[in-house]
Amino acid sequence: MTIKTPLHRHANMSHPATDRPVLLIDADATLSNLHACLGERLDAVLKYLDLMACIHLPDHAEHDINTISTIARILVQDVSDVFRVIEQRRFDILD
């Protein structure tokens, strides 16, 4: 028999594509690990958008532009979700 325990130390990530969260953030991770996660994603999306800004996409490449936008949105949403966890921890300390 499997006993399900609540995941109090995990925070949900945003999931506009699903009804229920499937990815979680370890809310108890060290601030340096959370910062590293943010840094990696933010650096990746900035490099990606810089690359996209330098490429010429023909006018008929609407599908490509939608894909680029979706990838950037997902990475920025990840960053926002981890920032939310850091902010919540800060407010928990102040309370």
Side-chain angles (χ1 to χ4, degrees), residues 42-76:
L42 194 54
D43 187 51
V45 76
L46 289 173
K47 287 179 181 177
Y48 180 73
L49 290 174
D50 281 343
L51 177 64
M52 292 301 107
C54 296
I55 298 177
H56 170 72
L57 292 174
D59 293 338
H60 65 276
E62 182 179 335
H63 174 54
D64 294 334
I65 293 169
N66 288 338
T67 300
I68 292 164
S69 299
T70 299
I71 292 167
R73 182 195 53 78
I74 289 169
L75 287 170
V76 171

Side-chain angles (χ1 to χ4, degrees), residues 19-39:
D19 294 336
R20 297 182 61 189
V22 295
L23 298 175
L24 302 170
I25 300 167
D26 181 354
D28 290 338
T30 65
L31 289 177
S32 62
N33 283 340
L34 292 170
H35 183 270
C37 177
L38 289 174

